[in-house]
Amino acid sequence: MQTSQWASEFYTQHEQSQAAASLYPTPPSETIPGLESSGFNTMLGLTETPTPLVSPAHVFVQSELANSTESLFPSVPQELEESTDQFMTVSTSFHPGAHPVESDLVLSSADGVLFYVHASTIDKASPTALSSFLSFSTSGIKEDIIPIPELAPILNIILHTIYQSSCAQNSPSSNELIEAIDKLPRFGITPGTLVRPNTPIYQLLLSHAPIRAIDVFTMAAHHNLRELAEAASSHLLAYSMDNLSDEMAAKMGSYYLKRLFLLHMTRVEEAKKLLSQPPGFHPANKKCTFEDQRKVTRAWALGTTYLAWDVRPGLSLSRIQNVFEPLVSTMECTACQDMVKKRIREVVTGWAAVKCTI
């Protein structure tokens, strides 16, 4: 059974090889150019050799193919390969095409970021601004890339301030904003001419005031930014003046330092004045005599003493209410309750009306 199967398979393979030979006959040796020069007289000798020699014609074709490939895809020079490792970083806000008018001045930050700006815009910000920027050029030619000795975040804020555009999308920190404004005079710009109410940089600084009130106030006072200093001072009511360092006091100057002290002192005095006045008396009756009403006055004085130990410029309205409102529940006389409630409203209203800025 196995022998017959083997014979059948051999016969099938033989038939297939015969059919292939009829379709693709082996050419005679004389029809193959270069066969005899290769050392083979017949085609059979060529097929029996394990590693046939390559004809010169074949070598010539391979050489021509290699030359044509090199002409289509030439090798990159070594110096060009080395230059591809060097990248140039461009500002996301001041890049070519970022503004309708093509830039004519390129600035480079200390950390290698390029800023494409306009000389006319810088010159418009201050008469001495453009010359201050150009003074950092090593060649003195305006068309060169001018190296600015500032890091990219600081230079970005300065340029946004000059262009009166917002840099909020870059999420600058409070320290970076304050440092950038402090360095504006280095570039021939007075901060007061650009940091004004309703400008993007003013609004951004004001948004940092609740967290860094003393730093924003000190910077604003140093550059005489009156509106910003006044707005920031409202967040300093709970600030302890004992924490004010000599450096900060010297930077803000005597004028704004005095105004800040006066703000704190005035509010403390106003708070004591409002709290010291007790509720009024109502007409005496059998259920509530004048002696009974004096108990209300003594209870109010006790609450005033409690607050006076810790009265601060930033005394909250809720704290006042939490101290005096429990008195109402201890009174049986409804008229006394009404007088205490009325006095609490007067204190709260009066305290809310006290000036909270310098």
Side-chain angles (χ1 to χ4, degrees):
M1 184 68 179
Q2 294 180 353
T3 304
S4 61
Q5 184 178 1
W6 175 84
S8 176
E9 291 179 354
F10 176 79
Y11 176 77
T12 303
Q13 292 178 358
H14 178 71
E15 289 293 329
Q16 291 176 351
S17 62
Q18 291 294 329
S22 62
L23 290 175
Y24 308 102
T26 303
S29 60
E30 58 271 10
T31 61
I32 303 179
L35 182 62
E36 294 181 357
S37 62
S38 301
F40 300 99
N41 296 325
T42 63
M43 191 65 185
L44 181 60
L46 177 63
T47 55
E48 289 178 351
T49 303
T51 55
L53 297 177
V54 182
S55 65
H58 181 66
V59 174
F60 175 77
V61 171
Q62 286 186 338
S63 176
E64 289 296 321
L65 182 61
N67 293 336
S68 61
T69 305
E70 185 177 358
S71 64
L72 290 175
F73 306 100
S75 59
V76 181
Q78 184 177 359
E79 59 271 13
L80 185 58
E81 290 182 352
E82 293 176 355
S83 65
T84 55
D85 295 335
Q86 300 176 359
F87 297 94
M88 299 178 67
T89 306
V90 182
S91 168
T92 56
S93 301
F94 298 93
H95 57 82
H99 300 88
V101 182
E102 185 179 356
S103 63
D104 56 358
L105 192 63
V106 183
L107 308 177
S108 176
S109 64
D111 46 356
V113 180
L114 299 182
F115 294 80
Y116 290 77
V117 295
H118 306 82
S120 58
T121 304
I122 296 177
D123 186 58
K124 185 179 178 181
S126 171
T128 59
L130 183 58
S131 59
S132 298
F133 275 95
L134 294 177
S135 65
F136 295 104
S137 176
T138 55
S139 61
I141 302 175
K142 188 178 72 172
E143 286 75 16
D144 287 346
I145 297 178
I146 302 177
I148 305 298
E150 297 293 345
L151 295 177
I154 305 302
L155 183 57
N156 180 65
I157 298 171
I158 292 174
L159 292 175
H160 272 289
T161 303
I162 292 174
Y163 276 74
Q164 294 294 298
S165 57
S166 177
C167 59
Q169 70 274 7
N170 303 118
S171 302
S173 64
S174 301
N175 290 336
E176 290 172 343
L177 288 169
I178 294 171
E179 182 180 353
I181 301 303
D182 284 338
K183 290 186 176 180
L184 281 177
R186 184 182 187 184
F187 297 94
I189 300 172
T190 303
T193 60
L194 299 180
V195 186
R196 300 186 305 271
N198 301 324
T199 60
I201 187 63
Y202 179 94
Q203 298 297 331
L204 192 56
L205 285 166
L206 193 59
S207 68
H208 286 255
I211 303 174
R212 301 287 298 275
I214 189 60
D215 298 309
V216 174
F217 177 83
T218 303
M219 182 272 296
H222 180 67
H223 299 291
N224 196 26
L225 305 176
R226 182 178 58 84
E227 295 87 353
L228 183 60
E230 290 179 357
S233 66
S234 65
H235 302 286
L236 290 173
L237 301 180
Y239 181 78
S240 176
M241 298 298 289
D242 296 335
N243 297 329
L244 190 66
S245 64
D246 295 339
E247 292 78 9
M248 297 180 73
K251 184 177 179 180
M252 68 175 62
S254 59
Y255 175 74
Y256 283 93
L257 179 62
K258 178 183 177 182
R259 292 188 64 180
L260 185 60
F261 268 108
L262 288 177
L263 172 65
H264 280 218
M265 293 172 60
T266 302
R267 285 184 62 85
V268 170
E269 293 300 323
E270 287 294 328
K272 292 179 178 180
K273 188 186 299 184
L274 287 168
L275 295 171
S276 62
Q277 186 175 350
F281 287 88
H282 64 82
N285 53 54
K286 293 182 180 179
K287 293 184 178 180
C288 186
T289 63
F290 284 111
E291 187 62 30
D292 295 328
Q293 294 182 49
R294 288 194 181 94
K295 295 179 182 178
V296 176
T297 303
R298 287 194 292 270
W300 182 275
L302 255 155
T304 300
T305 305
Y306 175 74
L307 283 176
W309 282 106
D310 194 34
V311 63
R312 294 174 181 268
L315 179 65
S316 64
L317 300 177
S318 60
R319 183 166 174 78
I320 296 174
Q321 294 171 330
N322 292 337
V323 169
F324 292 108
E325 284 180 352
L327 295 177
V328 178
S329 59
T330 62
M331 301 172 187
E332 297 180 358
C333 177
T334 56
C336 288
Q337 291 178 353
D338 293 338
M339 297 300 292
V340 172
K341 291 178 181 178
K342 179 182 176 182
R343 184 60 194 146
I344 292 174
R345 288 194 299 269
E346 291 173 351
V347 171
V348 170
T349 304
W351 182 238
V354 175
K355 188 180 180 181
C356 61
T357 61
I358 59 172

